Amino acid sequence: MAKIRIYKVAEQLGMPTHEVMDILKALGSDVKNHMSSIDEEYIELLQEEREYRKKEEEKNRKRKERTIQLKESPHLKDIARLLDMHWEDIVIKLADWNVIFDSKKPLPPLVVERLAREKNWEIIWEDSLREKTIEALQGGLGIRPPIVTVLGHVDHGKTTLLDAIRRSKVAQSEYGGITQKIGAYQIEVSNKKITFVDTPGHEAFTAMRARGAQVTDIAILVVAADDGVMPQTIEALQHAKAADVSIIVAINKIDKSGANPDRIKQQLSDYGLVPEEWGGDTIFVNISALQKKGINDLLEMILLQAELLELKARHQGYATGTIIESRLDRGKGPVATVIVKEGTLKIGDFFVAGATWGKVRSLFSVNGKKVKEAIPSMPVEIVGFSELPPAGTQYMVIEDEKIARLIANQKQLKEREKSLKGSSAQITSLEELLS
Ligand code: GTP
Ligand code: MG
């Protein structure tokens, strides 16, 4: 077999001699110096190895170029600078993702990673920085009251039940005796707060029932003992199941002569709500909202259930929440009731709710008293909207007026685009019809 000296090979391949020696040594050859000779058939192997090394080097260089090593938790403007983005654009993105941020605090690590990924960058966290940031962000988690939504068929006694609990008389004043909107209340029993949401039972108000089930931790399914399980009873329980919330059944009107609680237990068992005494895990409580019987038992069950759920929320920082209802008030203008999910809502806060924005001018408790702030699970009426926000919209405090307006405008644009697309789709089908 023909032999060739190493310096000749290097010349031929256009490689430095030391690299050729390097590769040969790595192959197990005992080359001594550039004058040593090797079999000619090594040349091809050397060439391949050389190509492979080149590619790897290039890859490594590229990988290094696209990584960001973080030595401290990045704040909004830091990450904007690192990713060469406008921080306003990031704020809009965060609003799109429903991420609440506080410019005085680091961004959540997952958000940083997602932003980076969109720009083809990879984040490398130093030591346990990622975990430390998460811990720091979670600091300040405190217990919050349960949110309890009362659901059920029309006239089964939901509002009367809440009247009994609140010692109020809302049901009597309702037009036509039926509830037509969602109502939110907060009460205190044995030093513990509970937030209640009343929903209408009339079949026309499906969306409100669904919304009520969405914001809640516990659903109270009210069934009148003399009427039994009815279409909206089933609909309501399906909303609660879809929202994955615990259900407590309140069998109401047990004072009536035709009351038959066992029949209701039987009917609901067919829908998977099996009473504890029958081997299931659903709590049933017999009550009479009108005669205020069984109310304390029901409240006890709610508090017990709430304790099991270990409900917590961040109390500090900017507030987020859900719009429960909105209306145009003659004196106050557009107002909305919000149940705060996280953070503390304060007078003077700028906010966004869907495509509307505003500044909190005043806050009222659901009893109509002026309050200075609202903490998690608290329902509160906000004055200061630029327009009426639709119920069900997410509400979010934004640190700066300019950005709040920017986000709302962006959302308006998007909504307009969507409706334009909708109408152009219609035109196409019309054209199709005509052709
Ligand atoms: P919608 O909100 O319209 O779905 O009705 P609701 O479920 O809120 O029922 P509401 O509380 O308005 O009560 C309907 C009727 O049932 C009223 O006339 C109440 O006085 C009556 N009622 C409610 N609870 C009881 C009860 O425990 N016993 C009896 N006898 N009547 C009750
Ligand atoms: Mg009602």
Side-chain angles (χ1 to χ4, degrees), residues 158-159 174 179 198-199:
K158 299 175 291 296
T159 306
E174 282 179 335
T179 305
D198 189 15
T199 64

Side-chain angles (χ1 to χ4, degrees), residues 5 39 44 56 97 113 123 129 132 219 251 261-262 283 293 334 352 402 413 415 431:
R5 287 195 199 274
D39 288 340
E44 207 176 315
E56 278 304 291
W97 297 343
E113 286 159 14
I123 299 289
L129 177 61
K132 273 188 210 146
I251 300 181
D262 268 1
I283 299 165
K293 280 189 186 142
V352 175
K402 220 173 54 202
L413 272 180
E415 278 174 17
E431 280 171 350

Side-chain angles (χ1 to χ4, degrees), residues 106-392:
L107 284 173
L110 198 75
V111 169
V112 174
E113 286 159 14
R114 233 178 116 170
L115 283 168
R117 217 175 314 137
E118 281 198 359
K119 287 257 164 187
N120 273 325
W121 287 92
E122 201 185 318
I123 299 289
I124 296 178
W125 303 95
E126 206 146 277
D127 291 333
S128 48
L129 177 61
R130 193 179 194 277
E131 283 66 38
K132 273 188 210 146
T133 310
I134 292 172
E135 265 169 42
L137 286 169
Q138 278 177 342
L141 275 197
I143 33 178
R144 64 169 178 87
I147 301 169
V148 180
T149 295
V150 185
L151 292 158
H153 195 73
V154 68
D155 270 353
H156 278 199
K158 299 175 291 296
T159 306
T160 309
L161 166 61
L162 285 179
D163 279 346
I165 291 171
R166 298 170 57 229
R167 300 191 184 89
S168 57
K169 290 189 169 111
V170 174
Q172 284 177 15
S173 63
E174 282 179 335
Y175 183 74
I178 67 164
T179 305
Q180 310 210 26
K181 60 182 179 82
I182 284 192
Y185 312 97
Q186 195 170 56
I187 60 142
E188 206 171 300
V189 243
S190 16
N191 284 325
K192 287 185 181 118
K193 289 194 169 85
I194 306 174
T195 299
F196 280 104
V197 177
D198 189 15
T199 64
H202 190 280
E203 58 178 333
F205 302 117
T206 301
M208 282 193 224
R209 282 187 287 279
R211 211 151 54 226
Q214 284 302 326
V215 293
T216 204
D217 302 304
I218 299 168
I220 305 291
L221 188 62
V222 175
V223 191
D226 60 334
D227 205 19
V229 171
M230 298 300 273
Q232 271 62 56
T233 314
I234 306 298
E235 190 212 289
L237 97 83
Q238 277 160 353
H239 288 313
K241 281 197 170 168
D244 201 20
V245 297
S246 0
I247 301 172
I248 296 177
V249 180
I251 300 181
N252 190 28
K253 306 198 188 183
I254 50 154
D255 57 284
K256 282 210 162 179
S257 54
N260 188 352
D262 268 1
R263 186 169 63 103
I264 290 166
K265 286 180 185 165
Q266 189 63 59
Q267 289 173 320
L268 286 178
S269 292
D270 293 344
Y271 290 92
L273 298 183
V274 183
E276 281 179 323
E277 67 259 38
W278 294 359
D281 56 7
T282 304
I283 299 165
F284 281 70
V285 187
N286 288 346
I287 61 163
S288 166
L290 201 65
Q291 297 184 352
K292 298 187 172 58
K293 280 189 186 142
I295 307 297
N296 285 338
D297 290 347
L298 180 62
L299 289 173
E300 211 173 286
M301 288 304 160
I302 292 171
L303 287 176
L304 207 70
Q305 190 66 33
E307 220 174 282
L308 289 176
L309 292 173
E310 289 183 29
L311 303 164
K312 285 195 177 129
R314 171 177 58 82
H315 282 237
Q316 271 134 40
Y318 295 138
T320 60
T322 311
I323 308 256
I324 293 296
E325 56 163 339
S326 62
R327 64 191 173 86
L328 204 58
D329 185 282
R330 281 193 180 194
K332 301 172 187 161
V335 297
T337 305
V338 164
I339 293 184
V340 177
K341 207 189 282 171
E342 307 241 24
T344 299
L345 181 60
K346 295 183 175 130
I347 291 173
D349 280 348
F350 293 101
F351 61 82
V352 175
T356 64
W357 69 282
K359 180 184 180 176
V360 179
R361 254 184 269 131
S362 41
L363 291 171
F364 293 89
S365 76
V366 282
N367 306 321
K369 282 198 192 109
K370 270 201 175 202
V371 291
K372 286 207 180 83
E373 52 178 43
I375 57 174
S377 290
M378 186 168 161
V380 69
E381 192 178 75
I382 301 171
V383 181
F385 284 84
S386 60
E387 288 164 69
L388 266 191

